Amino acid sequence: SASKTPKPTLAGVRGRIRKRNIVHAFDPDQFRAVLTDILARTHSNIDEFFREISLKEEQLDFYRYSTQFFDLLLMGGTGAGEGKLQQGASPLQTSFFGVGAGPFTDPALRAARSEYIELVRQSLRRKPFLERPLDQIVSNLLEAFVSFPEEMQHQTAMLIAVLLARRVIPAKDLIPLLGNDASINNGAVLRMLTEIFQVIVAESNLETLMKIVTDSGLLNRLVEFMPATRRTPEEFSAHFTQAGLPEFVEQVRRRQSRDQTAQIRATLIGLIKEGTPVEEISARMQSLRREAQLTDSVAMTLVYDAIFLAIDWSSRSQQAAEQAQRQLTQFAELLKPVVTTVQLQSELMIKLQNHCYDDPRCVKSFLPFVRILYDAEVIEEDAIMYWFRTGSALRGRSVFQSQLEPMVKWLETAEEEDDDEDEEEEEEEAPAAKPAAAPAKPAAGK
C-alpha cells in the first residue's frame, strides 16, 4: 500500500551501471579514424587486420557503425554506401574504390580489389550480423548510382559483380535495379546491368551468371531492364549480343523456353484433369502455341505428354494399360492440329515407341496406341509403314515391330486390294466379278 514504510537505503552508496547499459555518444568520425589507421597498415594482411581489430574492440562498435565500416572498406569513406555521396569526395586508397576504375582484367588491379573483397568475406564469417547491413549498402548503391561520377559508376558495377560472383551477397540483391523507372527509360540501368554481367563472366563464368539470374528470379524479367521503347525480346538479344554476351543470350532463350513449355504443359494437364471439352482444350493450346511461338515438334511433345501425365496411375498394371488406352482414345483429337505432316507423324511414332519402352505399364500397348491414332486420323499409313521399315528407334525395336506386324500386314493387304479395284475400274471390258472382301482389321489387344 501507499502508506507502507519504504525500505531503508545505504546513504552515500551508488549503484554500479552495467557495462552494456553505458550509453556512448554516436561518434562515427572516431570509428572511421581508428579503422582507417588499421587499414592503412594491414589491408593486405588479413590475419594482422583482424588482430588489430580485436585489440581495439572497445573503439570499434561494429553493431553501431556497420554501415560506416562497409562504406570505408569498399567505397573509401565517400558516403556512397550510406546513400549520400559527399560532394567532391575521393575514396581512400585503402579501399575497393580507391584501387581505381581501370580494366577489370588488369591482373594487378584485380589482385588489389580482391584484398578488400576477402576482408568483407572474412568479416561476414566472423560477424554474421553484418550480412544485413551489407545488403543495405548494395541496395543504396543500386538506387543512387545514377548520381555518381562516371568512374564511380564503373567501380560500383565491378564491386557488385564481384560480390555476386563470389557469393558474398545473394542474387536477390540485384532486384532494386528495377525500382527506378526513370533510370530504366534513359538506359542507365541497362548500362549498369550490362557491365555487371560482363564482369561476372570475366570473374567467374557463364554458368555463374545464369545461376545468379535464375536465383534472383529475374530470368523471365530481363526484358524489363530495357527502356520502354526497346522492351522486346529482339532488342534484348541484340543489345547483349553486341555487348559480347551472345552465349548468355542463347542460354536465356533456352531457359525461358523451357520454363514456358513447362507452364503450358501444366496448363494442359489441368484442363484435361478438369474434364474440359476437347474442342476448348485444343483452342487454348493453339492460342498458347502462337504466343510462345512453339515449333510443331515441341507442340506435339507438349500435347502428348499432357495427355498421359493427366492420368491417375493408381490402378493395377493391367488396368493401367486399359486406362491409358481410354485416355488416348478420348484426347487423340488434341494431337491432330499439331501433327500435320508425315514427318511429324513419324516423330510421334518414335515418341510412342520411347514411351512404351520407358513405362512398363505401356510396354504391351504399342499396337493399341497406334491403332487408336490411326482410327482418329492422327497418323496415316505412310508414317506407320515408314516407322516399321526404316524409321524406328533402336530401343525395343524388335518387340514393337513384332507387336505392329499384324497391322502392317493388314495395311499391305488392304493396299493391294485397293490397287486391284483401281485397275479393274480403269478397264473398259465388262465388269468383273466382285472382289473378295479385305481381311478383317487386326484386334488391338489389351
Side-chain angles (χ1 to χ4, degrees):
S1 64
S3 60
K4 188 174 180 179
T5 305
K7 294 181 178 181
T9 59
L10 207 59
V13 176
R14 298 175 60 185
R16 294 182 60 189
I17 301 177
R18 294 184 179 182
K19 184 177 179 181
R20 69 186 182 201
N21 293 333
I22 298 175
V23 178
H24 295 287
F26 184 70
D27 189 4
D29 291 337
Q30 182 189 9
F31 178 89
R32 291 192 188 98
V34 174
L35 187 60
T36 300
D37 178 63
I38 294 174
L39 278 171
R41 292 182 287 105
T42 65
H43 68 273
S44 59
N45 188 324
I46 292 177
D47 294 335
E48 186 65 19
F49 173 80
F50 284 105
R51 190 184 74 81
E52 289 280 341
I53 291 291
S54 63
L55 291 175
K56 298 188 178 182
E57 189 172 355
E58 292 186 1
Q59 298 174 275
L60 297 171
D61 187 347
F62 284 92
Y63 281 99
R64 200 172 193 188
Y65 302 114
S66 54
T67 301
Q68 288 77 15
F69 168 66
F70 286 120
D71 183 69
L72 194 66
L73 184 62
L74 298 174
M75 279 64 71
T78 58
E82 301 176 59
K84 46 184 180 181
L85 179 65
Q86 301 170 12
Q87 291 296 326
S90 297
L92 297 174
Q93 291 185 349
T94 53
S95 66
F96 186 95
F97 278 17
V99 173
F104 181 77
T105 53
D106 184 293
L109 295 178
R110 190 172 183 179
R113 294 183 185 115
S114 294
E115 292 177 0
Y116 299 101
I117 298 299
E118 190 58 30
L119 285 177
V120 172
R121 286 173 58 89
Q122 292 299 326
S123 297
L124 295 176
R125 188 176 66 82
R126 289 171 166 80
K127 304 178 188 299
F129 63 86
L130 291 174
E131 290 182 5
R132 184 172 294 180
L134 179 58
D135 287 345
Q136 186 59 51
I137 288 283
V138 172
S139 179
N140 293 341
L141 289 173
L142 291 177
E143 290 173 4
F145 77 91
V146 290
S147 64
F148 297 169
E150 184 177 354
E151 180 178 355
M152 194 172 287
Q153 290 189 26
H154 291 309
Q155 293 168 328
T156 299
M158 283 191 285
L159 171 62
I160 293 172
V162 176
L163 291 174
L164 286 168
R166 300 191 184 183
R167 300 182 182 179
V168 180
I169 58 175
K172 66 179 179 61
D173 282 2
L174 273 177
I175 295 176
L177 272 176
L178 284 173
N180 191 329
D181 290 341
S183 297
I184 291 175
N185 287 330
N186 65 24
V189 166
L190 182 60
R191 288 192 295 273
M192 172 62 68
L193 186 73
T194 302
E195 191 166 355
I196 289 174
F197 285 178
Q198 289 170 332
V199 175
I200 289 174
V201 173
E203 169 71 14
S204 184
N205 51 45
L206 179 61
E207 287 71 24
T208 298
L209 175 56
M210 288 305 303
K211 180 170 175 53
I212 289 169
V213 170
T214 304
D215 291 349
S216 65
L218 294 174
L219 178 63
N220 294 314
R221 301 183 63 188
L222 289 171
V223 74
E224 296 178 29
F225 289 98
M226 303 294 294
T229 56
R230 300 169 53 199
R231 198 165 293 164
T232 65
E234 293 76 19
E235 287 283 353
F236 169 85
S237 299
H239 171 81
F240 282 97
T241 298
Q242 189 175 4
L245 296 171
E247 296 87 358
F248 169 68
V249 172
E250 180 61 20
Q251 285 287 332
V252 168
R253 186 192 65 77
R254 290 180 182 178
R255 297 278 183 92
Q256 288 177 337
S257 177
R258 186 177 64 189
D259 291 350
Q260 200 170 33
T261 54
Q263 187 174 2
I264 293 173
R265 184 185 295 109
T267 300
L268 292 175
I269 292 171
L271 292 172
I272 292 172
K273 285 185 174 182
E274 291 168 5
T276 307
V278 173
E279 295 79 9
E280 291 184 24
I281 300 175
S282 184
R284 181 69 181 280
M285 175 58 196
Q286 293 311 305
S287 175
L288 293 170
R289 179 185 177 183
R290 286 191 297 271
E291 291 175 8
Q293 299 180 342
L294 300 178
T295 63
D296 293 336
S297 181
V298 171
M300 179 267 290
T301 300
L302 280 175
V303 174
Y304 182 91
D305 290 345
I307 290 173
F308 286 96
L309 289 172
I311 299 175
D312 178 8
W313 290 109
S314 58
S315 306
R316 294 181 180 178
S317 179
Q318 183 63 26
Q319 294 172 337
E322 296 172 359
Q323 189 177 10
Q325 293 169 33
R326 287 195 300 270
Q327 180 88 341
L328 186 59
T329 301
Q330 182 178 355
F331 294 103
E333 288 290 326
L334 292 177
L335 287 162
K336 264 189 173 182
V338 295
V339 184
T340 55
T341 65
V342 173
Q343 181 180 350
L344 288 169
Q345 293 171 21
S346 300
E347 288 185 28
L348 180 56
M349 288 287 294
I350 294 176
K351 180 78 175 172
L352 278 171
Q353 177 183 350
N354 289 329
H355 175 199
C356 294
Y357 182 86
D358 292 331
D359 192 341
R361 294 167 297 197
C362 297
V363 70
K364 295 182 179 180
S365 295
F366 183 71
L367 172 60
F369 285 168
V370 174
R371 274 286 313 281
I372 291 167
L373 295 177
Y374 178 77
D375 291 341
E377 299 181 351
V378 175
I379 54 177
E380 301 171 0
E381 176 183 341
D382 289 345
I384 295 172
M385 300 304 291
Y386 173 76
W387 178 91
F388 185 79
R389 291 167 180 162
T390 59
S392 59
L394 291 175
R395 307 169 77 211
R397 172 185 289 172
S398 59
V399 173
F400 299 129
Q401 282 181 332
S402 177
Q403 282 191 39
L404 198 60
E405 190 171 2
M407 184 174 183
V408 169
K409 288 182 177 179
W410 173 79
L411 288 172
E412 290 175 338
T413 304
E415 184 178 3
E416 291 174 1
E417 295 294 338
D418 289 341
D419 290 342
D420 291 341
E421 290 179 3
D422 291 340
E423 290 176 3
E424 291 174 359
E425 289 175 0
E426 292 174 0
E427 293 178 355
E428 296 180 356
E429 294 90 16
K434 184 178 180 181
K441 189 184 291 186
K446 299 286 178 95

